[in-house]
């Protein structure tokens, strides 16, 4: 399977012709740095100046495309009406799906590939690396408000687009299966990494256990809150939360932890030079302030206590997931060179080691910000 599918040739004019777009297409180019879907910017001559984002949905990852797109329709409609009610601009602040001529929100081509389109949000940017306190604060506002706005959407409306997606017990089972089958004959090269990860396995299932015991409530969460899944405007203010494929019931600590993973790290997710991976604690404080400003009205004390557990869990879970894919022979994530999943694993393990040393400090910051907002 070709993991760098952007290089594949698609019949774009045929695909795009199935969607209701304005104007003629002047160009199609690969866009963004996501690991899952194939994303293309479609430029047009439309009079209102709208360009589009075309995505080939990864059907290996998302088995139920119809269910996935139904989720996206429920979520975007709900967000649009809430944001309009608050005096915001739903066209700019929420993804707008483009309908196909057959009234569906996705198109299946002759090869069985699934495609969808959204309006392209102009003058916005996503960032793989966070550099300023304002960006971090805005990220906290974005994901906190996202949880708040979806808190009254009925969870029963949404399917689990990937069952057990962030369930650590499930992820560890998958790792054990990958170790047993050793499909790519790589186990012998990663024994120290396996030791490191498996020695933490019990501690890292705590959030799942707290959820099962009813201590942590299930809420509608984003579940993929990497910082590049928000769009900031040119002044670094939050404009829109994107990548809605995994919006489904989850625990708030997942969203908090995955966002922090990509914000507090001074290096990129797959950094080769492990010494470059340091913690930027002021960015953690800013994200926390922004996040709590939106969520303080509904978070329980138990959820508050779980946030820093999520900060440790998510880099751990990413390490387990990347290493599982490495052992499986790179079948899930796009890779850009042969050892990419191993390099991602090592970088996320290094981040976890740094976070373990600072967890008390992070907990104190969360509590300080919580008390100052509660006053
Ligand atoms: P993936 O699931 O592969 O991560 P995303 O939906 O996150 O795909 O899109 C990939 C990238 O495309 C994003 O990081 C962002 O830079 C850009 N992007 C996605 N949707 C839009 C949009 N509607 N307007 C502008 N840019 C977008
Ligand atoms: C994938 O699609 P993207 O790049 O935003 C993955 C996330 C991981 C992330 C790690 C559906 O997200 O779960 O956290 O890579 N998405 C899916 O960078 O598996
Ligand atoms: Mg993405």
């Amino acid at each position: 399977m070709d993991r760098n599918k952007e290089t594949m040739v698609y019949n774009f004019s045929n695909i795009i012709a199935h969607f209701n777009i304005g104007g003629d297409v002047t160009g199609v180019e690969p866009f963004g740095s996501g690991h899952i879907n194939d994303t293309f910017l479609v430029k047009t001559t439309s009079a209102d100046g709208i360009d589009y984002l075309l995505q080939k949905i990864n059907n290996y990852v998302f088995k139920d495309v119809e269910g996935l797109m139904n989720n996206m329709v429920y979520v975007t409609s709900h967000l649009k009406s809430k944001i309009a009610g608050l005096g915001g601009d739903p066209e700019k602040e929420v993804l707008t799906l483009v309908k196909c001529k057959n009234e569906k929100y996705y198109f299946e081509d002759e090869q069985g590939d699934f495609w969808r389109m959204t309006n392209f949000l102009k003058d916005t940017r996503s960032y793989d690396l966070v550099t300023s306190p304002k960006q971090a604060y805005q990220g906290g506002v974005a994901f906190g408000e996202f949880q708040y706005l979806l808190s009254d959407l009925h969870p029963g409306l949404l399917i689990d687009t990937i069952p057990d997606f962030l369930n650590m017990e499930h992820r560890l089972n998958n790792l054990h299966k990958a170790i047993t089958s050793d499909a790519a004959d790589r186990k012998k090269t990663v024994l120290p990494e396996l030791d490191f990860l498996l020695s933490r396995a019990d501690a890292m299932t705590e959030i799942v256990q707290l959820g099962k015991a009813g201590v942590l409530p299930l809420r509608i969460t984003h579940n993929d809150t990497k910082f590049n899944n928000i769009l900031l405007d040119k002044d670094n203010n939050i404009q829109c939360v994107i990548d809605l494929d995994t919006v489904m019931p989850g625990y708030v600590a997942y969203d908090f932890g995955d966002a922090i993973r990509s914000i507090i790290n001074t290096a990129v997710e797959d950094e080769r030079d492990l010494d470059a991976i340091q913690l930027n604690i002021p960015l953690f404080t800013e994200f926390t302030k922004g996040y709590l400003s939106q969520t303080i009205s509904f978070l329980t004390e138990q959820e508050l206590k779980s946030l820093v557990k999520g900060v440790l869990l998510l880099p751990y879970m990413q390490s387990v997931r990347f290493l599982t894919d490495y052992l499986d022979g790179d079948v899930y994530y796009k890779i850009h060179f042969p050892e990419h999943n191993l390099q991602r694993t090592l970088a996320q393990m290094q981040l976890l080691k740094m976070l373990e040393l600072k967890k008390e400090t992070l907990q104190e910051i969360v509590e300080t910000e919580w008390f100052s907002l509660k006053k």
Side-chain angles (χ1 to χ4, degrees), residues 175 178-179 182-184 186-187 190 194 323-329:
L175 177 61
I179 295 170
D182 196 15
R186 288 171 164 173
K187 185 176 93 180
V190 295
L194 286 170
L323 191 59
T324 302
D325 198 31
Y326 184 67
L327 290 169
D328 284 341

Side-chain angles (χ1 to χ4, degrees), residues 33-37 61-62 162 165-166 171 223-224 226 228-229 243 245-246 258 261 269 318 321-322 332-333:
S33 56
H35 299 343
I36 301 296
N37 297 312
V61 169
F62 300 105
I162 303 177
F165 183 52
L166 299 183
R171 293 294 174 187
N223 301 309
D224 189 4
K226 204 165 42 168
N228 72 11
N229 283 328
D243 206 342
D245 294 326
T246 53
D258 208 30
R261 176 181 78 84
E269 178 183 67
Q318 300 292 355
R321 292 177 64 193
F322 288 139
Y332 186 93
Y333 297 104

Side-chain angles (χ1 to χ4, degrees), residues 239-254:
Q239 181 163 329
C240 184
V241 175
I242 59 168
D243 206 342
L244 305 176
D245 294 326
T246 53
V247 178
M248 54 188 164
Y251 302 110
V252 293
Y254 292 160

Side-chain angles (χ1 to χ4, degrees), residues 11 277 284 359:
N11 186 347
I277 299 172
F284 174 84
K359 68 178 183 205

Side-chain angles (χ1 to χ4, degrees), residues 146-207:
F146 188 84
Q147 289 176 348
Y148 172 68
L149 294 176
L150 290 176
S151 58
D152 59 345
L153 176 64
H154 196 291
L157 290 173
L158 304 183
I159 63 149
D160 279 354
T161 55
I162 303 177
D164 290 317
F165 183 52
L166 299 183
N167 177 339
M168 196 59 239
E169 289 173 347
H170 171 75
R171 293 294 174 187
L172 284 163
N173 284 342
N174 285 353
L175 177 61
H176 283 293
K177 282 188 208 153
I179 295 170
T180 305
S181 56
D182 196 15
D185 195 23
R186 288 171 164 173
K187 185 176 93 180
K188 57 182 179 294
T189 66
V190 295
L191 296 176
E193 289 74 23
L194 286 170
D195 273 353
F196 175 91
L197 292 173
L198 294 175
S199 69
R200 286 157 174 80
D202 285 345
M204 291 293 178
T205 57
E206 192 183 351
I207 289 188

Side-chain angles (χ1 to χ4, degrees), residues 48-304:
D48 44 14
I50 298 185
D51 291 328
Y52 298 89
L53 210 88
L54 174 70
Q55 282 186 317
K56 186 167 87 123
I57 302 169
N58 185 328
N59 190 214
Y60 176 81
V61 169
F62 300 105
K63 310 280 187 218
D64 177 1
V65 172
E66 173 128 30
L68 165 74
M69 292 311 295
N70 284 339
N71 275 17
M72 228 175 135
V73 171
Y74 280 128
V75 169
T76 53
S77 316
H78 188 81
L79 290 173
K80 278 182 191 288
S81 71
K82 298 285 288 220
I83 283 177
L86 293 168
D89 181 345
E91 287 298 302
K92 283 190 165 175
E93 294 172 41
V94 186
L95 288 179
T96 301
L97 284 163
V98 179
K99 263 193 181 171
C100 290
K101 291 181 176 151
N102 67 4
E103 294 292 302
K104 286 194 176 194
Y105 283 100
Y106 66 89
F107 164 65
E108 183 178 359
D109 68 17
E110 299 80 41
Q111 280 120 302
D113 286 333
F114 294 93
W115 299 86
R116 67 167 171 231
M117 279 181 112
T118 55
N119 289 0
F120 182 77
L121 292 164
K122 280 192 184 355
D123 302 320
T124 63
R125 256 197 76 179
S126 66
Y127 294 84
D128 292 336
L129 204 61
V130 183
T131 49
S132 82
K134 179 168 181 185
Q135 290 176 335
Y137 181 84
Q138 289 293 312
V141 170
F143 288 125
E145 187 187 37
F146 188 84
Q147 289 176 348
Y148 172 68
L149 294 176
L150 290 176
S151 58
D152 59 345
L153 176 64
H154 196 291
L157 290 173
L158 304 183
I159 63 149
D160 279 354
T161 55
I162 303 177
D164 290 317
F165 183 52
L166 299 183
N167 177 339
M168 196 59 239
E169 289 173 347
H170 171 75
R171 293 294 174 187
L172 284 163
N173 284 342
N174 285 353
L175 177 61
H176 283 293
K177 282 188 208 153
I179 295 170
T180 305
S181 56
D182 196 15
D185 195 23
R186 288 171 164 173
K187 185 176 93 180
K188 57 182 179 294
T189 66
V190 295
L191 296 176
E193 289 74 23
L194 286 170
D195 273 353
F196 175 91
L197 292 173
L198 294 175
S199 69
R200 286 157 174 80
D202 285 345
M204 291 293 178
T205 57
E206 192 183 351
I207 289 188
V208 178
Q209 302 294 346
L210 291 172
K212 280 188 191 161
V215 175
L216 295 176
L218 266 181
R219 302 186 188 277
I220 295 180
T221 45
H222 183 284
N223 301 309
D224 189 4
T225 51
K226 204 165 42 168
F227 197 77
N228 72 11
N229 283 328
I230 57 176
L231 297 176
L232 298 177
D233 69 14
K234 58 180 173 12
D235 300 317
N236 270 335
N237 287 314
I238 174 62
Q239 181 163 329
C240 184
V241 175
I242 59 168
D243 206 342
L244 305 176
D245 294 326
T246 53
V247 178
M248 54 188 164
Y251 302 110
V252 293
Y254 292 160
D255 281 0
F256 189 85
D258 208 30
I260 292 301
R261 176 181 78 84
S262 58
I263 289 171
I264 200 169
N265 189 349
T266 55
V268 284
E269 178 183 67
D270 58 352
E271 178 61 54
R272 185 188 294 271
D273 172 11
L274 298 184
D275 292 335
I277 299 172
Q278 301 292 329
L279 301 186
N280 188 331
I281 306 266
L283 295 186
F284 174 84
T285 308
E286 288 306 306
F287 180 88
T288 303
K289 275 187 190 158
Y291 177 77
L292 291 179
S293 74
Q294 303 299 307
T295 54
I296 198 148
S297 62
F298 65 85
L299 284 191
T300 67
E301 214 164 319
Q302 294 298 336
E303 285 180 301
L304 184 80

